[in-house]
Amino acid sequence: DVVMTQSPLSLPVTLGQPASISCRSSESLVYSDGNTYLNWFQQRPGQSPRRLIYKVSNRDSGVPDRFSGSGSGTDFTLQISRVEAEDLGFYYCMQGTHWPYTFGQGTKLEIK
Amino acid sequence: QVQLQESGPGLVKPSETLSLTCTVSGGSISGYYWTWIRQPPGKRLELIGFVYYTGSTTYNPSLKSRVTISVDTSKNHFSLRLSSVTAADTAVYYCARSPIFPDYWGQGTLVTVSS
């Protein structure tokens, strides 16, 4: 299975400051159709995961533009330009290129 | 707005079969792939498998011998059966649409395996 490794696992942040989460895959996530199926999810306490970003950098409808995704191959990043209180929770990367599709172990975004 | 809702027993005895149903509302089950995902306590999310609306299935090799996912388009729902459960199968189980990039998720249901 493709192993997805996130860092850091815990990210203390100051409100209004930027934050960045790294996700590395054990194999390239470029599919034979040329697409890279790397997604980012947010999970607030007591809620189910919510997709924020799909195919590396495509932001979902309703997701604030302070969230952005980038990367290629095996190295990906989720950036939050200015953290707000509603952003606190867990963030997961997930690859949909190689079956079985797999998730990162999660990064907890919390107040410093 | 598509909504998904899991239903089924919250407690299953070891060696028995876990059965859950995911009812889709606000949209048709036809034309899409539907998936089951679980999250054991303190562990990462795991894709169990998925079903196309035609009934075609794909399972995670780690669970393949014990999993059955089926779909009923007339009821707009799909189901999960996991046999011979152990404590390791205790998890929050989610249903979602589109296994490659899950966009709509159910609220999740905790299933505990215990005697």
Side-chain angles (χ1 to χ4, degrees), chain A residues 28-61:
Chain A
S28 172
L29 298 186
V30 180
Y31 190 56
S32 54
D33 63 4
N35 287 308
T36 299
Y37 295 102
L38 186 283
N39 312 305
W40 287 98
F41 296 88
Q42 174 195 62
Q43 188 173 29
R44 293 174 174 145
Q47 296 186 12
S48 54
R50 168 200 183 195
R51 196 180 72 185
L52 299 176
I53 303 282
Y54 62 96
K55 291 196 289 183
V56 181
S57 59
N58 295 274
R59 199 168 42 244
D60 271 278
S61 174

Side-chain angles (χ1 to χ4, degrees), chain A residues 1 3-5 37 39 41 43 47-51 54-55 92 94-96 99-105, chain B residues 35 37 39 43-50 58-62 94 98-103 105-108:
Chain A
D1 297 1
V3 178
M4 305 297 288
T5 304
Y37 295 102
N39 312 305
F41 296 88
Q43 188 173 29
Q47 296 186 12
S48 54
R50 168 200 183 195
R51 196 180 72 185
Y54 62 96
K55 291 196 289 183
Y92 300 93
M94 175 217 163
Q95 64 85 16
W99 182 251
Y101 309 139
T102 48
F103 288 84
Q105 65 270 61
Chain B
T35 187
I37 298 167
Q39 186 172 32
K43 296 189 176 182
R44 64 182 73 195
L45 292 148
E46 177 184 37
L47 249 131
I48 298 169
F50 58 90
T58 300
Y59 301 134
N60 191 317
S62 69
Y94 297 98
S98 183
I100 293 177
F101 27 53
D103 51 0
W105 293 63
Q107 65 184 29

Side-chain angles (χ1 to χ4, degrees), chain A residues 76-91:
Chain A
F76 304 92
T77 302
L78 176 70
Q79 292 186 307
I80 310 174
S81 58
R82 295 173 306 280
V83 173
E84 297 190 7
E86 66 179 16
D87 300 337
L88 304 181
F90 280 89
Y91 289 81

Side-chain angles (χ1 to χ4, degrees), chain B residues 46-104:
Chain B
E46 177 184 37
L47 249 131
I48 298 169
F50 58 90
V51 61
Y52 194 39
Y53 76 102
T54 57
S56 170
T57 55
T58 300
Y59 301 134
N60 191 317
S62 69
L63 297 167
K64 187 173 183 177
S65 64
R66 299 193 291 130
V67 173
T68 303
I69 299 176
S70 58
V71 62
D72 187 334
T73 55
S74 66
K75 295 181 180 178
N76 227 42
H77 74 206
F78 62 105
S79 301
L80 168 71
R81 287 173 58 86
L82 181 66
S83 64
S84 305
V85 298
T86 69
D89 295 309
T90 292
V92 175
Y93 285 76
Y94 297 98
C95 57
R97 189 179 78 170
S98 183
I100 293 177
F101 27 53
D103 51 0
Y104 294 100

